Amino acid sequence: MPSLANLVRAFGFLLALSFVHGVAQAETCATPANADAQLTDMSLALNALRGAKQRAALSHEMALDRAAQAHACDVASASVAGIEWAEGPDIETRARAAGFEPCQAEQIQAIGPAYGGDAMAFWWGERGGRKAMLDRASTSFGLGAALAGRTPIWVLVFARACPAD
């Protein structure tokens, strides 16, 4: 039986590959230094935090990465305010536009933390962020990052897919 450490390393490697591919394709905008590595670390931290609270690990979905990245880029370009963007006013609409059919979805964002780990700490320390990170209804997640000038923007999307008919 593989050790937990080996499973975590394999999972991290797969996430790293997916982020290298995902961030570059999702949306064109400036991103924080080492964004791919930071997003991978955030993914691992998210599931570690969930595991420490007896929550199931979430699966990483490229479509939710695209939705999160598009929102981060929109916020960075100042084309929208709050959680509104060109594809619709809510996360469900953004997820659908990115190719994910949610029955439940929510997002959290952090504007200003210099590093992805700082964004995770901010969300974990904030009641709404922690609630979203531990929500048992969510089964999947996606992450995005952008720069508004020199200010980092981090977006984390959670969702549960609708069952196929």
Side-chain angles (χ1 to χ4, degrees):
M1 177 176 223
S3 73
L4 180 59
N6 286 339
L7 289 173
V8 168
R9 277 194 283 283
F11 183 68
F13 176 74
L14 292 174
L15 283 174
L17 288 177
S18 68
F19 278 120
V20 167
H21 181 70
V23 171
Q25 285 190 350
E27 193 74 25
T28 303
C29 68
T31 59
N34 301 317
D36 293 331
Q38 290 194 64
L39 293 170
T40 297
D41 290 346
M42 291 169 75
S43 297
L44 295 171
L46 172 63
N47 277 323
L49 290 168
R50 286 181 61 88
K53 295 293 184 179
Q54 290 74 51
R55 302 297 196 275
L58 300 176
S59 66
H60 174 243
E61 292 289 336
M62 293 301 297
L64 295 178
D65 276 352
R66 289 189 298 271
Q69 187 63 39
H71 181 66
C73 289
D74 281 349
V75 171
S77 70
S79 64
V80 295
I83 59 170
E84 301 284 324
W85 82 318
E87 294 294 325
D90 59 34
I91 184 56
E92 288 86 1
T93 302
R94 288 191 293 278
R96 283 186 196 96
F100 188 93
E101 186 60 42
C103 278
Q104 171 272 333
E106 64 183 301
Q107 78 178 20
I108 52 180
Q109 67 184 30
I111 299 173
Y115 302 100
D118 296 338
M120 294 295 289
F122 168 77
W123 291 325
W124 192 250
E126 189 226 6
R127 184 177 177 185
R130 180 183 283 232
K131 182 176 182 266
M133 293 168 83
L134 295 176
D135 190 348
R136 292 181 193 271
S138 297
T139 58
S140 304
F141 74 96
L143 284 156
L147 285 173
R150 298 177 78 166
T151 304
I153 297 160
W154 306 94
V155 176
L156 178 50
V157 173
F158 302 95
R160 179 176 39 85
C162 288
D165 293 331

